[in-house]
Amino acid sequence: MNEPTTTQATTPPGAIQRLLRNRTAIVALIVLGGIVGLALFGPLIFRYNPEATSAAQFRPPSMEHFFGTDLNGRDVFSRVIQGARISLLVGLCGALVSFFVGTSYGLVSGYVGGRTDNVMMRIVEVLHSIPRLIIVIVAIFTFAPRLENWLNATAITKGLVGYTKVIILIVCLGLIEWLAMARIVRGQVLALKEQQFVLAARALGQSHIRILLRHLLPNLTGVIIVYLTLTIPAVILDESFLSFLGLGLNDPQASWGSLLSDGKNVINPVKNFWWLLVFPAAAMSLTLLALNFLGDAIRDALDPRARR
Amino acid sequence: MFGFIARRCVSLFFVLLFAVTLTFCLLRKAPGSPFNLNEKQNTPEAVAKAERKFNLDGPLWWQCARYIGVARKHAVESPPAPAQFSGLLQGDFQPCLKYKDRGVGELLAQTLPISATLGAAALLIATLAGVWLGCVAALRRHTWVDAAAMFGALAAISIPTFVTGPALVLIFSLKLGWLPVGGWGGLANLILPALTLAGPAIAYIARLTRTSMLEVLAQDFVRTAHAKGLSEQRVLYRHVLKVGILPVVSFLGPLAAGMLTGSLVIEKVFSLPGMGDFFVNSVLNRDVFLCGGSVAVYCTLLVVMNLFVDIAYKWLDPRIRLQ
């Protein structure tokens, strides 16, 4: 991996130092770390159980309830923190699958080209055409009982039984989400592989794998990272839509998407419970903002042209 | 080029066949029957009778073969009809299982134009606004313009349409009274739903355009173009944008197919008689015929849009070779 003669490496030397010198990246990292930390350890500092109802309905934000309370008198602050768990997990899983499967699929399809490309892209079109709703319904029907038994078997995983449907949902969304990424990467590779540096690399006798990983992939980082940061909110909102149809979270459980749709249901021009929408949306926007700044900083740090 | 398009049309047939078959089989395997979803449960005999009537009895492959049109259907006594081939291949989309007196073909013919008009308007807005915003942000990188454009884009992505739609209605219809609240009719009815539908897409396109433009702006041919003394505008629109827009074009294929076939949320918020509502409900009602028809429409649009995308690649970057 580290021959001194290579001019293109998967991680350019000094990328991490460059990333850490970037002040926005540091701020974004701290914010993201804070959100993840709250999601993981939040339950330790709650004053209220996010799933416990109380008589205090629709209280506006106060020192008692930082983000107010909802229809069932549940504390919105602890629900937003609780919701971060599911939403971040869904987003992370979607992004990971999209990155590994989508990128490699698109790279191969675009680079090999010809008939292979044609067949691979037609497969993507078939998968894209099947409504994701059907895939989720069938997957939950087929795997939920088995997964539930399996989770019940050990004491550690027993607490996860209530989340069986969500786990299947996350996997399904991940499996669907890579399709657009594959097409974008493939389109870029079609253009890049005709450029002279690829020809030069071939002339130098480099293998196809090496050209894909060392020459094409670094030139794709910008588009890949930006599309990944866009995938995360898309998957988070998909989850809320499917949960709304009863295919994911059950009622007392919370995700940012389900909080938004719950909030929307009780708000109308007469009853202006703005805090039910503003705080979940703000949590999501803040996460996305941090992710995007971090993404841009990673792109800059990995830019093959940035090394001087 | 002609051969390329012809080959693609042939493959459209196979993609359609696979997509519809898979959808049909998955939906038939899903728990629940199209004849037994309401509270009033039908007797097993009644379900069996209905399944036979709609040619949904017997093994799965046989059901599917009759739906596609490669196997004969049951003969019917009243009105008398012999056992014949009558499926998708013969152009018969079957009756709708939920709304018994309407055909799937008829339903699609009524709802698709509405969804497609709305989708086309939203797509146009999204592409123009998104590319423009992305270009502006890339040119003024690290200024407040860039920050504001990208912040707006993130806000548009993270606020779902079921929130933005009602918010727009509240402001422009109820408070200001400029535009109708919902319904279908004139151009005025189109504006708010098209804007709501376009919102997240604008954000996607702007982000993709910005990052791709930044990469192209750093390349040598841009410096050459500047050195030749070309105007800023000409360099941007003739040289940079032509290469920089490639990832956006890739994204437009799936985006267009999704937008033209309607969105449940938008249709509910603005009470539009579009296709998205039927599409989602056909799955929930296990209405295999309506769902199969919708998938066929969506799949055709997707393949055709992706064909346009591939042709656009060739036009934007002549170095690209297609097959």
Side-chain angles (χ1 to χ4, degrees):
Chain A
M1 287 296 273
N2 283 321
E3 302 97 309
T5 45
T6 21
T7 47
Q8 302 247 344
T10 25
T11 317
I16 296 190
Q17 286 92 313
R18 264 205 302 282
L19 186 64
L20 293 180
R21 268 207 306 274
N22 188 334
R23 218 172 303 150
T24 15
I26 298 296
V27 175
L29 266 178
I30 293 172
V31 170
L32 273 182
I35 293 169
V36 173
L38 266 180
L40 287 177
F41 304 111
L44 301 176
I45 55 161
F46 285 160
R47 274 194 291 174
Y48 302 94
N49 179 349
E51 297 181 3
T53 54
S54 74
Q57 266 186 311
F58 297 127
R59 293 282 160 81
S62 62
M63 285 314 285
E64 199 75 357
H65 300 277
F66 297 131
F67 291 177
T69 61
D70 69 358
L71 169 71
N72 298 316
R74 294 175 294 208
D75 182 46
V76 177
F77 179 67
S78 33
R79 282 181 74 72
V80 167
I81 290 175
Q82 186 83 348
R85 293 181 153 197
I86 300 284
S87 288
L88 291 178
L89 196 65
V90 171
L92 183 74
C93 188
L96 280 180
V97 177
S98 183
F99 175 66
F100 284 107
V101 182
T103 308
S104 41
Y105 197 94
L107 272 174
V108 171
S109 177
Y111 186 70
V112 178
R115 187 161 292 168
T116 317
D117 173 46
N118 200 4
V119 171
M120 286 176 87
M121 282 301 118
R122 298 297 83 76
I123 293 174
V124 166
E125 278 161 3
V126 170
L127 291 178
H128 221 139
S129 298
I130 302 173
R132 58 185 64 187
L133 204 52
I134 298 186
I135 300 180
V136 174
I137 290 176
V138 173
I140 287 181
F141 169 67
T142 322
F143 300 114
R146 233 173 290 172
L147 187 64
E148 220 159 278
N149 284 340
W150 189 70
L151 288 177
N152 265 325
T154 55
I156 315 162
T157 51
K158 216 165 184 157
L160 289 171
V161 169
Y163 290 95
T164 321
K165 282 203 296 192
V166 187
I167 296 171
I168 296 171
L169 183 69
I170 289 174
V171 175
C172 287
L173 285 180
L175 288 178
I176 299 163
E177 214 49 56
W178 58 273
L179 299 168
M181 175 70 109
R183 272 207 69 90
I184 292 179
V185 169
R186 174 254 184 188
Q188 292 299 96
V189 173
L190 278 183
L192 278 174
K193 74 169 179 183
E194 303 296 339
Q195 291 197 11
Q196 280 151 5
F197 68 89
V198 178
L199 193 66
R202 280 302 292 154
L204 286 171
Q206 299 204 348
S207 69
H208 291 298
I209 299 279
R210 202 179 163 88
I211 290 177
L212 280 176
L213 295 180
R214 295 272 180 101
H215 296 267
L216 293 178
L217 195 57
N219 281 291
L220 289 169
T221 38
V223 173
I224 292 178
I225 288 175
V226 165
Y227 194 73
L228 277 184
T229 52
L230 293 174
T231 305
I232 294 172
V235 198
I236 291 179
L237 291 180
D238 270 355
E239 179 271 316
S240 73
F241 178 66
L242 292 167
S243 289
F244 171 73
L245 293 176
L247 292 167
L249 292 172
N250 301 320
D251 184 39
Q253 299 164 346
S255 75
W256 289 342
S258 75
L259 287 175
L260 282 171
S261 71
D262 287 354
K264 184 224 110 202
N265 286 342
V266 293
I267 285 188
N268 55 49
V270 188
K271 296 185 286 181
N272 187 14
F273 307 128
W274 53 270
W275 57 92
L276 293 180
L277 286 182
V278 168
F279 291 113
M284 202 147 120
S285 304
L286 188 67
T287 316
L288 297 183
L289 204 62
L291 271 173
N292 276 278
F293 279 126
L294 187 64
D296 281 350
I298 293 176
R299 196 209 74 84
D300 289 346
L302 289 177
D303 190 349
R305 279 175 226 99
R307 270 175 301 141
R308 287 281 138 79
Chain B
M1 182 53 84
F2 180 75
F4 170 73
I5 297 174
R7 271 198 298 275
R8 212 34 114 63
C9 292
V10 175
S11 69
L12 164 66
F13 175 77
F14 289 102
V15 171
L16 258 179
L17 196 66
F18 273 112
V20 170
T21 310
L22 271 171
T23 307
F24 183 90
C25 295
L26 280 174
L27 198 55
R28 287 298 290 160
K29 276 284 158 211
S33 149
F35 309 107
N36 229 350
L37 278 175
N38 18 12
E39 293 84 28
K40 193 175 128 271
Q41 292 286 308
N42 286 321
T43 56
E45 293 80 39
V47 171
K49 202 176 153 207
E51 280 182 345
R52 188 179 155 78
K53 184 183 165 202
F54 289 102
N55 286 285
L56 289 171
D57 55 334
L60 193 57
W61 64 266
W62 190 35
Q63 297 176 20
C64 194
R66 277 174 289 172
Y67 177 53
I68 305 278
V70 290
R72 278 178 208 280
K73 285 187 167 177
H74 296 301
V76 193
E77 278 114 42
S78 64
Q84 59 182 355
F85 296 100
S86 171
L88 288 182
L89 288 177
Q90 286 80 22
D92 183 355
F93 279 88
Q94 316 297 329
C96 198
L97 293 176
K98 171 85 177 168
Y99 314 99
K100 293 255 165 63
D101 46 348
R102 301 181 70 182
V104 170
E106 175 199 345
L107 211 59
L108 290 178
Q110 281 171 2
T111 53
L112 181 64
I114 295 171
S115 293
T117 315
L118 176 61
L123 200 63
L124 194 70
I125 298 174
T127 315
L128 293 178
V131 170
W132 178 74
L133 263 179
C135 285
V136 170
L139 285 180
R140 315 248 160 93
R141 194 185 182 189
H142 295 320
T143 65
W144 68 269
V145 183
D146 179 20
M150 287 307 114
F151 188 80
L154 291 179
I157 295 177
S158 51
I159 303 172
T161 45
F162 58 71
V163 176
T164 47
L168 285 177
V169 170
L170 188 64
I171 297 170
F172 291 102
S173 307
L174 299 178
K175 289 268 159 70
L176 295 171
W178 291 351
L179 294 164
V181 176
W184 188 248
L187 193 63
N189 294 80
L190 201 61
I191 297 174
L192 285 185
L195 278 177
T196 315
L197 189 56
I202 294 177
Y204 268 80
I205 293 175
R207 290 279 315 162
L208 280 173
T209 309
R210 175 181 177 272
T211 185
S212 171
M213 291 291 279
L214 282 179
E215 238 145 73
V216 179
L217 281 169
Q219 286 189 15
D220 295 338
F221 75 87
V222 180
R223 204 173 21 190
T224 313
H226 276 298
K228 280 200 303 187
L230 295 181
S231 73
E232 188 72 25
Q233 298 287 319
R234 200 173 162 81
V235 173
L236 181 66
Y237 292 110
R238 291 301 296 272
H239 295 256
V240 182
L241 195 57
K242 234 178 146 180
V243 183
I245 206 165
L246 267 185
V248 178
V249 172
S250 311
F251 179 63
L252 280 181
L255 182 76
M259 275 189 162
L260 294 175
T261 47
S263 143
L264 172 76
V265 176
I266 308 272
E267 284 163 18
K268 281 258 183 281
V269 170
F270 295 97
S271 38
L272 300 172
M275 204 181 128
D277 187 23
F278 287 113
F279 201 175
V280 173
N281 277 314
S282 70
V283 178
L284 297 179
N285 295 327
R286 310 287 185 272
D287 189 339
V288 272
F289 294 149
L290 183 53
C291 188
S294 310
V295 167
V297 169
Y298 178 83
C299 183
T300 311
L301 275 169
L302 185 70
V303 174
V304 171
M305 288 301 160
N306 282 342
L307 174 63
F308 285 156
V309 165
D310 284 357
I311 294 172
Y313 284 161
K314 179 82 191 155
W315 177 68
L316 290 168
D317 190 341
R319 283 173 297 190
I320 292 180
R321 284 170 302 163
L322 296 168
Q323 290 219 311

